[in-house]
Amino acid sequence: MNDYSLQARLLAGILARTRWNSVELERAAAGAAGKRWPTCARVIDELLHGLGNQRRPLAGDIAQWLMLNKGFGKSCRRYRLSFSHLDQFVGQMSPVRRDFASWKIPPLTGISALADFFGLTLGELDWLADLRGLERFTVTGKLRNYNYRWVSKRISGTCRLIESPKWRLKMVQRHMLHGILDYVPLHRSAHGFRQGRSIRSCSAIHVGKDVVLRMDLQDFFPSISRARIAGLFRAAGYPEDVSLTLAALATNLIPQDVWNSFPAYGSIADRYRHESIYGTAHLPQGAPTSPALANLCAYKLDCRLAGLAERMGGHYSRYADDLVLSGAVGFERCLPSLIPFVASICLEEGFVVNHRKTKIMGQAERQRLLGLVVNQKLNPPRDEYDRLRATLFNCVRFGPRSANRDGLENFRSHLLGRINFVTSINASRGQRLTKLFNQIDWIQDSSV
């Protein structure tokens, strides 16, 4: 290590907090040294040329470049530079694109401002963010920020881990969701976990198409890493330390004993895949911020797949981890080459397609998307509608207690919820179900 490596790291920490342009960087470098040194402009120009003008590099990348730059080393020796004024510099908002500056996100330029934004002390912020990964080695449940629960998937027989944040962290995450993430726009093709969109809006795009292609992303939430989330906040304009802390608040690293309780199933490959995912800091399935962050991380994926579908005369939409593409007869002829191409795009964007769930549906069969049928018009599946209608008929004829075979505590609300769902999709069918519901004698069997 050369004798000016410390100065390189100090200056890198300052430049990483500064807007990434020559004027701002030169001013910051001169202020950090306490004087304007003659070769400052040349070093900054070479830095911008070496690391790129259009992105904000990490402090470590800047420090590495400075340590390898001979001009910076000569300047340190010749002008006896000492960058000891780090604490005087407050980070600046510096989005990677000009249009990002129009987002109405709060300008958090330092850790103290971040703590004030959440109403926390610096110690509380450090504990909840857990940048040191203490959660993984904490054996006492009371000291952990998350509760853990393995859930078995009914269809595949595999498992997913539900990581539920405790109330204090959950409040912070909700504040992040409504105070920051709600102001970042999503792609028009994303329909999951956003206001004004639903499975209805996602499926309606594909009604009456000759062929519908449905694909599924594997381990959608946990496959998104903390580094990727930090990059998202940096792209929005936050300084590196703020971005890392925000990413740490929204991600988690599971304790070893939780991983040891992983249910035995499948092959060694299944366990290895889950270990590689859950063994690193990832988006937890159960945190209020995870859906919004996952949608934002899939923005470029949505852009590419929407453009691909449009170029082929088709349509594209995404609901969480479900990808749907549809089109006419010409679109169907391209499917043999389209499916691997879509999978490769997903892989390039950091996602993996679960090929076992890929399905091609033509007009000759029932085209079912997200629990709805889209062949000619949007409808709930006929078999599910018939079962609900039969249940209501039995309630009318024999009383609600006889039809409540699962022993649901609030059977009336359960039926109303199912009827309202059908009504939101098909009003005429919903009216017929409502008419049956109104004939049920709930007073006679008031315990239901």
Side-chain angles (χ1 to χ4, degrees):
M1 184 177 292
N2 49 52
D3 55 353
Y4 55 89
S5 60
L6 175 60
Q7 303 305 321
R9 291 197 299 273
L10 290 173
L11 179 58
I14 295 170
L15 298 183
R17 301 183 184 188
T18 308
R19 291 191 180 91
W20 198 246
N21 60 70
S22 59
V23 176
E24 296 286 349
L25 292 174
E26 286 179 29
R27 184 182 296 121
K35 59 183 178 181
R36 191 168 188 86
W37 31 295
T39 57
C40 177
R42 185 192 308 169
V43 171
I44 295 301
D45 288 341
E46 292 178 357
L47 175 66
L48 288 171
H49 179 74
L51 295 183
N53 293 311
Q54 303 300 322
R55 67 187 185 97
R56 294 183 66 194
L58 298 174
D61 296 334
I62 300 175
Q64 185 177 11
W65 186 92
L66 290 172
M67 283 188 283
L68 295 175
N69 183 264
K70 295 181 180 179
F72 176 73
K74 290 180 180 179
S75 299
C76 287
R77 291 190 294 268
R78 180 178 300 177
Y79 304 111
R80 297 181 181 180
L81 299 179
S82 177
F83 303 99
S84 56
H85 305 275
L86 181 63
D87 295 335
Q88 299 178 9
F89 287 86
V90 178
Q92 297 173 313
M93 296 291 290
S94 181
V96 296
R97 285 173 43 178
R98 289 184 179 180
D99 55 325
F100 290 2
S102 63
W103 298 348
K104 297 180 181 179
I105 57 177
L108 307 173
T109 56
I111 298 299
S112 296
L114 183 62
D116 293 339
F117 174 74
F118 289 122
L120 301 172
T121 65
L122 291 176
E124 290 171 336
L125 180 64
D126 178 65
W127 173 259
L128 294 175
D130 191 23
L131 282 166
R132 293 170 290 176
L134 299 178
E135 177 94 4
R136 188 172 190 178
F137 305 103
T138 303
V139 295
T140 304
K142 292 183 179 180
L143 297 178
R144 291 176 177 171
N145 290 320
Y146 286 85
N147 294 314
Y148 301 92
R149 177 168 55 94
W150 290 101
V151 177
S152 177
K153 299 180 182 179
R154 290 180 298 175
I155 298 177
S156 63
T158 58
C159 294
R160 66 161 56 98
L161 179 62
I162 304 299
E163 303 164 75
S164 302
K166 295 183 179 179
W167 72 271
R168 188 67 181 273
L169 178 58
K170 184 177 289 187
M171 293 302 103
V172 170
Q173 291 174 341
R174 284 179 178 168
H175 192 37
M176 183 193 304
L177 174 64
H178 300 303
I180 299 176
L181 300 179
D182 282 352
Y183 296 103
V184 183
L186 299 173
H187 194 272
R188 66 180 186 278
S189 299
H191 291 259
F193 316 115
R194 61 184 302 189
Q195 191 173 6
R197 302 291 181 91
S198 63
I199 59 173
R200 177 186 174 90
S201 64
C202 185
S203 303
I205 300 172
H206 309 284
V207 171
K209 301 300 185 293
D210 291 325
V211 62
V212 177
L213 170 64
R214 187 184 69 204
M215 304 180 75
D216 179 83
L217 298 178
Q218 196 168 24
D219 298 314
F220 184 51
F221 289 129
S223 64
I224 299 175
S225 66
R226 177 177 294 178
R228 192 169 178 179
I229 300 300
L232 178 68
F233 284 116
R234 281 181 58 78
Y238 289 113
E240 182 179 348
D241 52 353
V242 174
S243 299
L244 288 174
T245 305
L246 285 170
L249 287 169
T251 55
N252 184 40
L253 187 62
I254 68 169
Q256 187 61 40
D257 65 298
V258 174
W259 172 246
N260 292 336
S261 66
F262 180 82
Y265 83 93
S267 63
I268 297 177
D270 292 325
R271 188 176 179 89
Y272 176 78
R273 177 174 56 83
H274 279 93
E275 187 172 12
S276 63
I277 292 173
Y278 291 113
T280 57
H282 58 275
L283 273 186
Q285 187 161 345
T289 48
S290 293
L293 288 170
N295 273 338
L296 291 172
C297 287
Y299 184 88
K300 191 176 178 182
L301 173 68
D302 292 334
C303 290
R304 296 182 66 179
L305 292 184
L308 174 64
E310 184 178 353
R311 187 180 181 88
M312 300 178 67
H315 300 81
Y316 163 77
S317 65
R318 179 181 60 82
Y319 190 92
D321 56 354
D322 289 302
L323 312 177
V324 186
L325 296 97
S326 65
V329 178
F331 184 82
E332 184 177 6
R333 299 194 192 102
C334 303
L335 287 181
S337 58
L338 176 65
I339 293 175
F341 190 44
V342 170
S344 66
I345 290 177
C346 293
L347 194 61
E348 290 173 3
E349 298 303 326
F351 299 100
V352 177
V353 170
N354 186 353
H355 291 284
R356 290 177 294 183
K357 293 186 178 181
T358 298
K359 189 172 184 179
I360 302 172
M361 297 169 285
Q363 276 291 340
E365 60 182 308
R366 184 171 69 170
Q367 297 174 332
R368 182 166 179 170
L369 295 176
L370 305 170
L372 302 177
V373 178
V374 298
N375 287 71
Q376 299 301 327
K377 61 180 181 178
L378 211 58
N379 260 323
R382 181 72 193 202
D383 54 346
E384 295 183 8
Y385 168 76
D386 289 341
R387 282 197 296 270
L388 177 56
R389 185 172 178 271
T391 299
L392 293 172
F393 182 79
N394 288 334
C395 289
V396 173
R397 187 174 180 182
F398 304 108
R401 180 187 292 275
S402 63
N404 187 12
R405 298 178 180 178
D406 294 331
L408 300 176
E409 292 184 5
N410 201 334
F411 189 51
R412 189 174 189 273
S413 298
H414 170 74
L415 291 178
L416 270 177
R418 295 177 63 184
I419 292 171
N420 290 336
F421 172 73
V422 174
T423 304
S424 68
I425 305 300
N426 189 315
S428 61
R429 286 188 176 182
Q431 289 175 359
R432 290 194 289 269
L433 294 176
T434 302
K435 186 177 180 180
L436 276 174
F437 179 84
N438 291 334
Q439 297 175 23
I440 300 175
D441 186 1
W442 295 99
I443 298 178
Q444 183 179 357
D445 199 351
S446 58
S447 61
V448 179

